[in-house]
Amino acid sequence: MKLQPATAMFTGAAGNTLVADVYGDAGDPVMLLHGGGQTRHAWRHTAEHLARSGAVAYAFDQRGHGDSDWIADGSYAFADFAADAAAVATTLSQRSGKHPIAIGASLGGISSLLAEGTSERAGRGPILAAIVLVDVTPRVDQGGVAKVQGFMRERAVEGFATVAEAADAVAAYLPHRKRPRSLDGLKKNLRLHPDGRWRWHWDPRMVAGERSFAIDHRILEAALTAAARALTIPALLVRGGSSELVHEAHVRDFLELVPHAETIDVSGARHMVAGDNNDSFADAVLDFVGKLEGSSAGA
């Protein structure tokens, strides 16, 4: 049975509006941050499971994505996304009296890790109760990153004549994934423009602007490494068993930085773990959340 989420508005670090779907009405807060080019709808299955197990799940559209504000000055550096994550975490803490758990996929994981690591390194203490990183570590395969960003750039300006044409592009990019019968889900990731073309729901300046997240990977790696070293909160790394970005060597590197972290591989999943194997991913998250001391979000 599907749960009908409520829609809520939050304020990001730049005064920007962030839109969230809220699943559940009582329990510990869990913030869900999607990957680059995705929307809050990518978390529906996981959010429903969390709500049924006693948490309140907040699935956000990050800045420049979905129904959240596009940023007028094009501020889409990783630090900007991290600042939004910190702002949202603070708001949820104030409302509930508890730090939220953050579950972040790719870009969302980077945002969460930088936000938490920055706070701890500055001596302000944790802003999260725990963190789940979904197929992202400080060091990743740069060929895989180039493939992801290449797909995002390829039709960002030109767009598509039809939703079916966009579906063809996704199928070519993700040949391992079964093609859905309905295009309704894909429509949530597209916008129909006045010229009759369908374009992705996200601001193309994220991958091509002067302050985009397509920066020198060495700068990002150094920032994430410092953030990971600072982590004191419970941490879980969920890796796609067939990930193009995070290999076993990257997991070992991460565990050297965060020795107390737990890790799990989701069999049959690539970088988009939740979409590739939703049930196994949700089970891994619920098991981790349920073990947290004092959590009411256990299975």
Side-chain angles (χ1 to χ4, degrees):
M1 182 182 70
K2 291 184 178 180
L3 298 179
Q4 185 61 41
T7 301
M9 308 292 180
F10 289 77
T11 302
N16 50 309
T17 297
L18 299 169
V19 178
D21 282 344
V22 185
Y23 295 78
D25 54 16
D28 293 346
V30 180
M31 50 190 279
L32 297 157
L33 299 176
H34 59 72
Q38 295 183 307
T39 67
R40 66 189 190 275
H41 304 294
W43 291 118
R44 179 187 61 79
H45 186 83
T46 303
E48 288 178 348
H49 277 275
L50 286 164
R52 290 193 184 101
S53 63
V56 183
Y58 298 81
F60 285 88
D61 280 338
Q62 296 199 75
R63 63 168 57 199
H65 290 80
D67 295 319
S68 290
D69 283 348
W70 288 17
I71 307 301
D73 65 359
S75 293
Y76 295 114
F78 287 112
D80 300 317
F81 288 95
D84 281 348
V88 167
T90 299
T91 298
L92 291 176
S93 296
Q94 292 170 344
R95 292 182 181 181
S96 68
K98 295 182 178 180
H99 292 321
I101 299 165
I103 302 174
S106 196
L107 171 62
I110 290 171
S111 305
S112 304
L113 178 55
L114 288 177
E116 176 65 24
T118 298
S119 181
E120 293 205 38
R121 291 182 69 211
R124 296 190 294 269
I127 59 173
L128 300 173
I131 188 169
V132 178
L133 301 175
V134 185
D135 213 59
V136 65
T137 54
R139 188 169 68 87
V140 296
D141 186 287
Q142 291 306 309
V145 173
K147 182 179 179 181
V148 172
Q149 294 185 355
F151 174 74
M152 292 182 69
R153 289 192 187 96
E154 188 174 4
R155 302 292 286 272
V157 176
E158 178 188 356
F160 306 93
T162 64
V163 176
E165 186 180 336
D168 290 340
V170 173
Y173 176 61
L174 301 172
H176 65 289
R177 187 179 293 186
K178 185 178 179 181
R179 192 161 180 162
R181 295 179 181 178
S182 171
L183 298 178
D184 289 344
L186 181 60
K187 265 189 177 181
K188 293 178 180 178
N189 292 321
L190 295 162
R191 289 181 178 179
L192 181 59
H193 287 243
D195 63 358
R197 304 283 293 179
W198 293 87
R199 295 181 176 84
W200 300 120
H201 63 87
W202 45 266
D203 189 338
R205 292 177 298 172
M206 283 194 301
V207 292
E210 293 182 2
R211 190 173 170 84
S212 74
F213 58 51
I215 62 169
D216 187 329
H217 74 271
R218 291 167 296 184
I219 298 174
L220 176 62
E221 182 178 320
L224 289 174
T225 296
R229 280 202 181 102
L231 281 186
T232 61
I233 60 174
L236 171 67
L237 170 61
V238 182
R239 172 184 172 267
S242 302
S243 174
E244 318 94 298
L245 270 69
V246 179
H247 305 316
E248 292 182 3
H250 300 138
V251 175
R252 291 194 295 270
D253 289 346
F254 177 74
L255 289 175
E256 288 185 7
L257 296 170
V258 192
H260 67 274
E262 299 179 35
T263 67
I264 188 169
D265 281 8
V266 176
S267 177
R270 294 171 67 178
H271 182 55
M272 299 174 71
V273 181
D276 287 345
N277 193 337
N278 235 321
D279 289 337
S280 294
F281 173 75
D283 288 344
V285 169
L286 287 177
D287 181 64
F288 174 73
V289 171
K291 291 187 296 186
L292 296 175
E293 184 178 359
S295 174
S296 63

